[in-house]
Amino acid sequence: MGLWDDYDDSVQANGNVPPLNQEFPYGTTPIRGVNLGGWLIIEPFITPSFFDAIDSKFGVVDEFTLSKHLGPTNAAKTIEKHYANFINETAFREIREAGLDHVRIPFGYWAIMTLEGDSFVPMISWRYLLRAIEYARKYGLRVKLDLHSVPGGANGWNHSGKLGPIGWLNGTNGDINAQKTLDLHNQMATFFAQPRYKHVVTMYGLVNEPKMISLDADRVIEWTSKAHDVVRKAGYQGYIIFGDGFRGLDTWKGEFKGLDKMLLDVHQYVIFNVGQISATHSAKVKFACDGWGPQMAKSVDTSTGFGPTVVGEWGQAETDCTPHLNNVGVGSRWEGTLNSGDPLTQTNVPSCPGGKGCSCDGANTSPSNYSKAYKKFLLMFAEAQMDSFEKSWGWLYWTWDTEAATQWSYKKGLAAGILPEKANTRSFKCGDTIPDFVGEGLPETY
C-alpha cells in the first residue's frame, strides 16, 4: 500500500466514538482498544512456531537470536513473511467489528535505525507500520504508537527483542543509547507531525516498560522530560505516553508539571505475581474490581495521582501456563517449574490456590474443551477488568492474535465466547454478584 495525498478522516469506528476528524473526548469517553503484539516485534509465546522449530542447543530465545540464527537473507525473508501474514487489513476490520476504537502498535527501533552488531532485520517493519496506520484510518481506528524496544534495551526482556542486560541509561553505553533514542524520536516525531497523521496517530509512546525498579528512576524521569521536549519541538501535537516503570501509580503524583498532554501508561496482570496468581477464581474477579478499580480512580485524579492514566496492556489469562511466556523453554509459577535461572524469580513451589495438584492442562487446552463454568469465569474476569480500567482513560488488551494461546488473543477469545461480542456491551459490571466458581464445578487447580 502506497501513501497518497487524498485520504478520508471522516470514518467512525462505531457510534460510541467520534469520526477521526473530530477530537476524541479522552478522559470522558473510554479508550477501548487492542494491541498488535508479536507482529513487528516477535515474541516467543505469541508465535512459538519460530522457536519450536529450532533445537534448543542453538540458544534461540528472542528475535535477536532468531535473526542471527537464520542469517541476514533468510531472516529478512522469514520475518517479512510474518509481517505480511500475521496482521493484515482483515485484522483491522475485525477489530472495528468487535466494537474497539484504538490500536496500540508495538515496534522496535530497527524499523528506523540500524546499530552496529545488530542482527535485527532493518527497516522493513517501517513499511508495515505505515501500512497499518492507513488500515486503521480506513476503519476509523485511532493509533497509539509504541516504541517497544529502544537501543540498548530498557528492560532486558524478550518482548523488547533481545533478552539480557539493560543497556539504556545503564552500563557502558547507557548514555549513548539514551541519546540515540532521543535522536530516533526527533526523526519519528517529525514524520508523524505531518498533517496526514494528526487525526489518526493520536498517541505517541516514548519507551515501553522501562524497568525503573532496576534503573535510576530520577534519570529515567529526566530523560522522559527531554524526550517530551524533543517530540514537541519536532511538531507532534498528540498525547505523549510514558510508562509507570513498575514503580506503582502513586509515585507519579506531581511529576511532569508544566509538560502538556502527558499520559501515564500502566500494564496490569495477575500472573507475574505469586501472591496474585495463587488467588482463587472468585478472588481474582474481586481483585479486578476492588483492587484495580480504586487504583484507576485514584490515579486519574490529580489531587491523589498523576492524572491522565491508561491501561496500555492487560489480559485475561489467570495462569502463566502458556508455553514460552516466561522465556523459551522456561516453565511456570503455576506448576512450580519456573526454571528461569534468576534466584529472584525461579521457583519449584506450585502457585495455584492451595499449592497442590497444580496443572497447566486445563489452561492450555483447546477452548472447545473449556467447561461452561470456566468460560463463565474467563468472560467475567475480562469484563471486570474492562469495567475497572474504564475508571481511567480506558484500556488496550494484550493482544489481538496468537498462534495458539487463546487466553492471550482477543480474536480467539471472541471466537471462544470468553470476551463480549461488542466491547461496550457486557454482561458483568463491578458490584454485581461474584459466584463461587468451585460451587459451579470449576476446580482451582485444573
Side-chain angles (χ1 to χ4, degrees), residues 3 36 75 96 110 137 141 154 159 197 204 212 216 229 275 347 409 428:
L3 299 180
L36 303 182
R96 181 189 188 185
W110 53 92
R137 186 196 310 275
L141 303 168
H159 58 63
Y197 297 109
Y204 182 108
M212 295 173 73
D216 184 325
D229 293 346
T347 181
S409 166
F428 176 86

Side-chain angles (χ1 to χ4, degrees), residues 118-137:
D118 265 2
S119 63
F120 293 117
V121 174
M123 310 301 183
I124 294 176
S125 58
W126 175 252
R127 300 201 312 268
Y128 287 86
L129 174 61
L130 297 187
R131 184 177 300 178
I133 293 169
E134 296 307 318
Y135 287 146
R137 186 196 310 275

Side-chain angles (χ1 to χ4, degrees), residues 279-293 373 376-385 387-388 427-440 442 444:
T280 66
H281 292 102
S282 299
K284 285 183 172 112
V285 176
K286 181 176 174 58
F287 175 76
C289 288
D290 297 346
W292 281 331
K376 179 179 178 178
F377 160 74
L378 289 168
L379 176 61
M380 187 176 292
F381 186 43
E383 292 186 334
Q385 292 180 79
D387 191 66
S388 279
S427 56
F428 176 86
K429 65 181 183 303
C430 291
D432 291 349
T433 300
I434 301 171
D436 173 8
F437 286 101
V438 172
E440 296 194 3
L442 180 61
E444 297 290 358

Side-chain angles (χ1 to χ4, degrees), residues 93-166:
R93 175 176 53 79
E94 292 174 343
I95 289 168
R96 181 189 188 185
E97 290 172 351
L100 301 170
D101 46 62
H102 282 69
V103 289
R104 179 175 182 250
I105 308 179
F107 62 97
Y109 66 83
W110 53 92
I112 299 164
M113 66 166 53
T114 56
L115 300 179
E116 185 178 354
D118 265 2
S119 63
F120 293 117
V121 174
M123 310 301 183
I124 294 176
S125 58
W126 175 252
R127 300 201 312 268
Y128 287 86
L129 174 61
L130 297 187
R131 184 177 300 178
I133 293 169
E134 296 307 318
Y135 287 146
R137 186 196 310 275
K138 180 175 180 179
Y139 294 101
L141 303 168
R142 290 168 173 84
V143 172
K144 180 178 187 279
L145 288 178
D146 180 64
L147 185 61
H148 218 68
S149 179
V150 296
N155 52 52
W157 291 318
N158 68 27
H159 58 63
S160 65
K162 188 176 183 180
L163 185 67
I166 298 173

Side-chain angles (χ1 to χ4, degrees), residues 303-385:
S303 70
T304 54
F306 172 77
T309 305
V310 65
V311 180
E313 292 184 21
W314 64 279
Q316 67 188 127
E318 44 98 29
T319 76
D320 64 336
C321 287
T322 301
H324 305 328
L325 178 66
N326 295 307
N327 286 330
V328 173
V330 172
S332 68
R333 296 168 186 80
W334 188 260
E335 290 188 326
T337 57
L338 189 65
N339 54 328
S340 64
D342 180 351
L344 296 177
T345 61
Q346 69 181 25
T347 181
N348 60 3
V349 179
S351 296
C352 72
K356 296 181 179 179
C358 307
S359 170
C360 282
D361 292 347
N364 288 341
T365 190
S366 165
S368 63
N369 296 324
Y370 289 174
S371 67
K372 182 179 179 180
Y374 193 31
K375 292 176 72 172
K376 179 179 178 178
F377 160 74
L378 289 168
L379 176 61
M380 187 176 292
F381 186 43
E383 292 186 334
Q385 292 180 79

Side-chain angles (χ1 to χ4, degrees), residues 37-53:
W39 180 37
L40 301 182
I41 294 185
I42 292 172
E43 296 196 29
F45 87 93
I46 295 175
T47 52
S49 63
F50 284 118
F51 301 89
D52 292 341

Side-chain angles (χ1 to χ4, degrees), residues 272-284:
F272 302 115
N273 178 301
V274 172
Q276 292 175 346
I277 196 174
S278 62
T280 66
H281 292 102
S282 299
K284 285 183 172 112

